[in-house]
């Protein structure tokens, strides 16, 4: 009970960005791992995926702008009426250009973590089970069968009892089309998010989000689908957050600092 309470408090601090330094984030990750290892049977892949993403977040300045810490620091700076030198130093601490952190190793680490997770899932459904031969075509995820969605919705494990699921269950070509598009999205959309220009990244990112949202409607696997949908936010280009921060700083100058001008861009 004590471990659960400490983990809950640390999770709240992490969510709102209060006292969210490296020590707090590391302690949160260790507590999450400790709780997960104490009761493994009810866990699924989403728990492991979440722990990996949280581990990479330890190395990122996640509370530097959109947080209570940034608000308190910005408020103290204005209350003390610092001179120009100290004000510039405080601005470096309370404001952050998301564009300037695009090339940090932790950013690429968390992106590669997402890509490898999807690719690992695809390999497990195909190569790991059938090997690199013609027998791979026996996979229900590949042509000519494409029956994975049909079997999943007709099982007694987790399908939701809704009218949309009934239509897909009774229409084999529709379920085959959904299986084919799902395996294509899981294979190529994460890679596209990693290599495409930032202006085109929202397209494959939206496809990934839409995939998890569709599974959430049809299957009773809430943890995994919610984690998958929230993780797609990582692919939102940094200039979007800089622009949003700039607009909010103009509207609420006493609460939010403008982003720093950075010559580093993501391409």
């Amino acid at each position: 009970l004590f471990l659960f309470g400490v983990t809950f408090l640390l999770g709240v601090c992490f969510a709102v960005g209060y006292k969210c330094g490296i020590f707090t984030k590391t302690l949160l990750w260790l507590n999450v791992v400790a709780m997960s290892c104490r009761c493994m049977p009810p866990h699924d892949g989403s728990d492991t995926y979440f722990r990996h993403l949280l581990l990479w977040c330890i190395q990122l300045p996640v509370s530097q702008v959109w947080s209570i810490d940034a608000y308190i620091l910005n408020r103290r700076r204005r209350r003390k009426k610092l001179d120009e030198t100290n004000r510039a130093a405080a601005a470096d601490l309370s404001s952050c250009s998301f564009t300037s952190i695009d090339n940090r190793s932790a950013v690429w680490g968390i992106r590669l973590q997402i890509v490898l997770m999807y690719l690992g899932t695809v390999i497990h459904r195909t190569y790991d089970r059938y090997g690199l031969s013609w027998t791979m075509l026996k996979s229900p995820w590949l042509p000519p069968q494409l029956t994975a969605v049909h079997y999943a919705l007709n099982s007694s494990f987790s399908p939701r009892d809704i009218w949309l699921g009934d239509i897909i269950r009774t229409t084999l070509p529709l379920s085959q089309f959904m299986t084919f598009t799902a395996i294509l999205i899981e294979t190529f959309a994460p890679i596209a998010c990693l290599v495409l220009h930032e202006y085109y990244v929202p397209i494959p990112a939206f496809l990934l989000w839409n995939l998890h949202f569709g599974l959430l409607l049809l299957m009773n696997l809430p943890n995994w689908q919610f984690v998958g949908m929230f993780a797609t936010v990582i692919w939102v280009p940094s200039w979007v957050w800089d622009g949003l921060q700039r607009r909010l700083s103009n509207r609420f100058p006493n609460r939010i600092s403008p982003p720093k001008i950075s010559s580093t861009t993501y391409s």
Side-chain angles (χ1 to χ4, degrees):
L1 183 62
F2 174 77
L3 180 62
F4 179 82
V6 172
T7 305
F8 175 77
L9 293 176
L10 291 172
V12 172
C13 291
F14 179 79
V16 301
Y18 179 69
K19 302 296 183 181
C20 194
I22 294 179
F23 176 78
T24 301
K25 291 183 287 186
T26 304
L27 189 60
L28 173 61
W29 180 77
L30 291 174
N31 276 267
V32 170
V33 172
M35 290 186 61
S36 299
C37 292
R38 278 170 168 78
C39 187
M40 295 299 293
H43 292 177
D44 59 12
S46 63
D47 297 281
T48 303
Y49 184 42
F50 174 77
R51 291 196 297 269
H52 289 170
L53 296 181
L54 184 60
L55 177 63
W56 285 109
C57 287
I58 294 175
Q59 306 175 57
L60 294 172
V62 293
S63 65
Q64 206 163 8
V65 178
W66 311 103
S67 66
I68 294 179
D69 287 341
Y71 171 75
I72 293 175
L73 185 59
N74 194 37
R75 189 175 180 180
R76 288 176 179 173
R77 184 189 66 181
R78 286 178 169 80
R79 180 180 297 176
K80 294 180 179 180
K81 297 181 179 179
L82 301 177
D83 56 33
E84 292 298 325
T85 303
N86 291 336
R87 187 176 301 162
D92 288 338
L93 294 174
S94 62
S95 64
C96 171
S97 173
F98 292 95
T99 307
S100 65
I101 67 172
D102 256 331
N103 292 322
R104 289 188 181 181
S105 59
V107 174
W108 285 100
I110 199 170
R111 289 171 176 170
L112 286 172
Q113 183 70 67
I114 297 174
V115 174
L116 294 176
M117 186 278 297
Y118 284 105
L119 292 182
T121 301
V122 173
I123 293 173
H124 174 69
R125 293 170 178 169
T126 55
Y127 174 76
D128 283 352
R129 293 190 176 184
Y130 302 96
L132 189 61
S133 64
W134 290 107
T135 57
M136 188 185 298
L137 297 179
K138 294 181 180 180
S139 171
W141 288 94
L142 297 177
Q145 297 195 40
L146 297 174
T147 54
V149 172
H150 175 76
Y151 287 139
L153 293 179
N154 281 280
S155 68
S156 58
F157 174 62
S158 60
R160 297 183 185 275
D161 187 15
I162 59 174
W163 62 271
L164 181 60
D166 294 335
I167 294 176
I168 299 172
R169 271 191 294 268
T170 56
T171 310
L172 183 58
L174 180 58
S175 64
Q176 288 179 319
F177 174 76
M178 293 179 63
T179 303
F180 185 64
T181 54
I183 198 70
L184 285 180
I185 291 174
E186 289 184 313
T187 303
F188 297 106
I191 299 175
C193 288
L194 191 67
V195 302
L196 286 180
H197 191 274
E198 59 181 349
Y199 290 103
Y200 303 106
V201 165
I203 298 175
F206 175 75
L207 292 176
L208 284 173
W209 184 92
N210 192 56
L211 173 67
H212 288 286
F213 180 71
L215 290 174
L216 180 64
L217 293 179
L218 298 173
M219 307 291 290
N220 189 22
L221 300 170
N223 291 339
W224 172 243
Q225 305 312 331
F226 280 126
V227 171
M229 286 190 291
F230 285 132
T232 57
V233 177
I234 295 172
W235 299 112
V236 177
S238 54
W239 56 265
V240 174
W241 302 112
D242 281 342
L244 179 60
Q245 183 185 353
R246 188 176 297 106
R247 290 187 179 90
L248 291 176
S249 65
N250 293 333
R251 187 168 183 178
F252 306 103
N254 294 327
R255 294 180 174 88
I256 299 178
S257 299
K260 294 187 297 182
I261 299 176
S262 174
S263 57
T264 306
T265 57
Y266 171 69
S267 56

